Amino acid sequence: MTIGPTGQRPGIRITARRAGTFCLLLVLLLAAQATRVQFFQAKGYNDNAANQRKAILRYGQPRGAILVGGQPITGSAATGGRYTYKRTYTDGPTYAAVTGFSSQIYGNTQLEGTEDALLSGTDDRLDGWAVWDAISRRQNPGGSVYTTIDAAAQQAAMSGLDGQKGAVAAIEPATGRILALASTPSYDPGSFAGSSSADQQVWTRLQSDGDQPMLNRALRETYPPGSTFKVVTAAAALTAGVVTDINAPTAAPYPYILPGTTTPLVNDTTSCNTAGLDLDTAMTLSCNSVLGYLGVQTGLDKMVAMAENFGFNNSKLDIPVRAARSNFDTTMDQSQLALSSIGQFDTAATPLVMAMVAAGVADNGTVMYPQLVDKLTKSDGSTVQLMRPRSYRQAMSPAVAGQVQQLMTDVVANGTGGRAAIPGATVGGKTGTAQHGVQNSAVPYAWFISWAKPAGSSDVPPVAVAVVIADSSATDVTGGSLAAPIAKSVMQAVLAP
């Protein structure tokens, strides 16, 4: 056998080289696998439902605050369990339609959902030094969400609704800032924020409640708007030139037979049963026959365009919470158009969109995009994002808006909206009582939309409101009797010095 110069056999040297090569290969394979897992597959593992690390980190620190008028309406409480902190709410039922909920089991909704990354501290905009934060996996403190809500207006809305099935949306017309967003019956989002069996029992009870307290009726439910939609029809007829003078007789016949049928469009008061009524009288008395006729004369395309100017048919109306799509059909025959022009047939709206209608009239025809958030900040108060007002549509000319404003003020001064009148203020409004159910057998929806400003002021009104009562045991179920007083209280809260 040959012995090498170093005294080692050649076979031993070859074996050692092979072993070294094999070990190097193993090291490279391990490095490649570690890189694959830690870099390419990291997100998948982090987001895996079975991975509790992310949830433990999320609830390992207090959640950022949601604020109203600069004051927190949310907080965090130590649990002593696996999840160190859970969400708490100050007067949770009052603001549930604004905040939504943040639950360790059931996730996040409303602002708690749309702004979750900022509130939980995972938003990249909160990073100080992004590279170091990524390497150290440091959890940033949660940021804060400053809402546009006016505390007094919100309290007035909730007090006025008083647990009835209904909703209120109030907007500052010049900016689109949402001043109140209320839905009743409500719920306490803090009652199931944790992960205990008691939290789960509360959740189960709320889910099975026939009154649907967790339904956000201000944003996520649509109702036939009834005669409140006549404001849209009046704006369309004036814009199209079908009506040029609100005090001049119209060509509206009586009775008005729905086109293509033998069915008359009936009125709720005999005072409307006259041919040729002027638009101002028709709005003040809420005459179906006149507004149905004017809608048909204006035509489908122009009626659709005006409705869409106010937010109808928009399936992506984000405030930043997404609102349900309000509907005005784009394909109808003339009899259906007549019914749609008085807020019936398939026409359906959220309270938010009907508040946009009132706000657009108040702001001289300009409809502003509604917004629920003023600004987002870091935990130290420095601004992450400042929300600025933005225009949604120019629904009508200022001249036409002035005419519609006059129609609405006459409704309050001389017509069905008298219970919304405020001493020392100019108030414009429109009532609505919408029939629904099989052969209109269900309790009607009572609506009122309005705006108000100090008497003699030439400024844009500071508040516009929409109120709907969806189910009432009252004997007089009308927008003027049920919804108008609630709108009045909200407007008074905003006008108060």
Side-chain angles (χ1 to χ4, degrees), residues 161-372:
L161 290 168
D162 193 26
Q164 302 174 88
K165 285 184 182 178
V168 174
I171 293 174
E172 184 177 68
T175 64
R177 297 173 71 252
I178 296 173
L179 305 177
L181 200 66
S183 175
T184 56
S186 190
Y187 68 100
D188 181 4
S191 62
F192 54 89
S195 55
S196 69
S197 59
D199 291 277
Q200 296 175 54
Q201 289 170 9
V202 171
W203 172 267
T204 301
R205 186 167 63 251
L206 287 169
Q207 293 298 300
S208 61
D209 191 328
D211 287 336
Q212 296 181 282
M214 297 185 71
L215 173 63
N216 189 332
R217 292 174 167 85
L219 291 181
R220 298 298 307 162
E221 185 75 333
T222 60
Y223 307 90
S227 293
T228 58
F229 191 82
K230 291 172 182 175
V231 172
V232 179
T233 302
L238 286 162
T239 298
V242 173
V243 176
T244 57
D245 182 348
I246 62 174
N247 298 119
T250 66
Y254 182 80
Y256 175 53
I257 307 300
L258 292 171
T261 76
T262 58
T263 304
L265 186 55
V266 298
N267 296 304
D268 293 329
T269 173
T270 57
S271 299
C272 291
N273 296 348
T274 303
L277 284 177
D278 61 87
L279 181 56
D280 188 68
T281 300
M283 285 289 283
T284 301
L285 299 175
S286 199
C287 300
N288 294 333
S289 57
V290 177
L291 273 300
Y293 168 82
L294 292 178
V296 172
Q297 297 308 303
T298 300
L300 178 61
D301 290 346
K302 291 177 181 178
M303 284 295 298
V304 169
M306 186 58 71
E308 292 183 349
N309 283 344
F310 287 112
F312 282 83
N313 297 341
N314 186 345
S315 60
K316 296 181 179 180
L317 187 60
D318 299 333
I319 65 168
V321 180
R322 179 156 294 180
R325 179 183 180 275
S326 295
N327 182 71
F328 188 81
D329 283 356
T330 58
T331 303
M332 289 183 276
D333 62 33
Q334 289 194 330
S335 65
Q336 293 166 340
L337 177 58
L339 292 172
S340 296
S341 298
I342 61 169
Q344 296 286 174
F345 189 54
D346 287 339
T347 305
T350 60
L352 175 70
V353 161
M354 292 313 297
M356 291 171 66
V357 170
V361 172
D363 193 20
N364 300 314
T366 301
V367 182
M368 299 299 289
Y369 204 103
Q371 62 181 60
L372 187 56

Side-chain angles (χ1 to χ4, degrees), residues 140-157:
N140 292 306
S144 297
V145 177
Y146 286 74
T147 72
T148 59
I149 295 295
D150 180 297
Q154 185 76 10
Q155 291 288 346

Side-chain angles (χ1 to χ4, degrees), residues 465-485:
V465 184
V467 178
V468 64
I469 302 298
D471 187 12
S472 175
S473 58
T475 54
D476 182 17
V477 181
T478 64
S481 63
L482 294 180

Side-chain angles (χ1 to χ4, degrees), residues 366-383:
T366 301
V367 182
M368 299 299 289
Y369 204 103
Q371 62 181 60
L372 187 56
V373 175
D374 259 339
K375 65 177 178 178
L376 308 176
T377 71
K378 295 183 179 181
S379 60
D380 62 6
S382 58
T383 300

